[in-house]
Amino acid sequence: KDANGAWVAQRLNMMVIYVRSDKVAKADYPKTWTDVLAPKYKGKLAMTDPSFTSLQLMVVSTLSKKFGWGYYKKLKANNIMIVPGNQQVLDTVKSGERPIALGALDSYAAGARKEGHKIKSIYPSDGTFIIPSPTAIIKGAPHPNAAKAFANFMLSDAAQKLFPAGGGYSARVDIGPPANSPALKDVKPMPIDYAAMAKESVQVKRQFNEIFR
C-alpha cells in the first residue's frame, strides 16, 4: 500500500520475460534483463510500447536508468519488434513470429498456458517488476460509503482468490500464487522509483520513440 495511505493494492502485475518453450531451447532461456542483448536473440524478441501501456513505461523508465539508454539501442540493433500492448505481444509469441517477450505481463502468459500454448514465464534473477494495481477512494466522491464497501470487498478472500485463479497474483501475502508460478516470497523484486517515473514519463517516452521510430 501507499506509504501515506493514498491507495492500497488490489492485485500485482508481474512484468517478466516469457518464451515459446517449443521454439526456444531451455539452455537458451534468458535469465536476466541483459541476457537478451546476446546476438543469438536477434530477430526473436518483442516488447510493448511504453507510450501505450503504463506497465511498460515503468519497465523502460527503470531499465534505462539501471543500464542506460544504450540498453535500448542494443535491443534495436538486435531487431526487437515493438507492438502496442500486452495482447499484441502475446499474439506475436503465440504465433511464433517472435518467440520471446521482454518485459511482458505474466498473467497473459498464464492465460495462454491454460489454452494449451507452450509458453514459459521467466522471472529474471536480477529482479522482476512487481507493480501494484491500486484501489483508492477519490476525495469528494458522491458515494464514499459505497466506495469503501467496494474497496473492502476487493481485499476480501472471495475477490483476492479470483486473481490467482485467473493467472495473476493477489496483493495479499496469505493468498497463494497462480498455478505453476513461484511464491511471491521467492521472486526477487526490481526496485521502482515511482516518483521519478511520474516526473520523467514524457521524457522517457520521447527518448524511447527517438530510438525506435
Side-chain angles (χ1 to χ4, degrees), residues 46-57 81-90 92 103 208 213:
M47 67 175 286
T48 59
D49 189 331
S51 292
F52 286 85
T53 164
S54 60
L55 294 174
Q56 187 63 262
L57 178 60
M81 177 186 286
I82 308 299
V83 298
N86 279 288
Q87 185 60 56
Q88 289 81 14
V89 82
L90 174 64
T92 300
F208 185 90
R213 293 181 183 174

Side-chain angles (χ1 to χ4, degrees), residues 33-194:
W33 294 103
T34 53
D35 281 353
V36 294
L37 301 179
K40 66 182 176 181
Y41 297 112
K42 188 170 186 176
K44 296 182 178 181
L45 304 165
M47 67 175 286
T48 59
D49 189 331
S51 292
F52 286 85
T53 164
S54 60
L55 294 174
Q56 187 63 262
L57 178 60
M58 296 181 196
V59 174
V60 173
S61 176
T62 301
L63 295 186
S64 63
K65 276 190 170 63
K66 185 177 179 68
F67 302 127
W69 281 107
Y71 174 77
Y72 285 97
K73 292 176 182 177
K74 291 175 182 176
L75 284 175
K76 183 180 182 181
N78 240 4
N79 193 27
I80 193 169
M81 177 186 286
I82 308 299
V83 298
N86 279 288
Q87 185 60 56
Q88 289 81 14
V89 82
L90 174 64
D91 291 342
T92 300
V93 172
K94 284 164 62 175
S95 71
E97 184 177 4
R98 295 295 175 100
I100 303 174
L102 179 68
L105 188 53
D106 184 42
S107 57
Y108 279 74
R113 286 193 291 271
K114 281 189 173 183
E115 296 172 355
H117 294 279
K118 295 181 182 296
I119 295 179
K120 169 71 175 177
S121 293
I122 299 162
Y123 301 81
S125 60
D126 50 350
T128 293
F129 288 85
I130 305 175
I131 302 171
S133 285
T135 293
I137 299 169
I138 305 301
K139 184 178 180 180
H143 305 290
N145 291 332
K148 290 176 185 177
F150 181 72
N152 285 330
F153 168 74
M154 288 305 298
L155 295 175
S156 69
D157 286 358
Q160 287 292 305
K161 288 178 180 178
L162 291 174
F163 296 122
Y169 276 77
S170 165
R172 283 176 40 181
V173 296
D174 61 331
I175 303 288
N180 303 311
S181 298
L184 196 59
K185 66 180 178 61
D186 297 326
V187 178
K188 179 181 178 180
M190 176 70 76
I192 304 172
D193 188 337
Y194 292 102

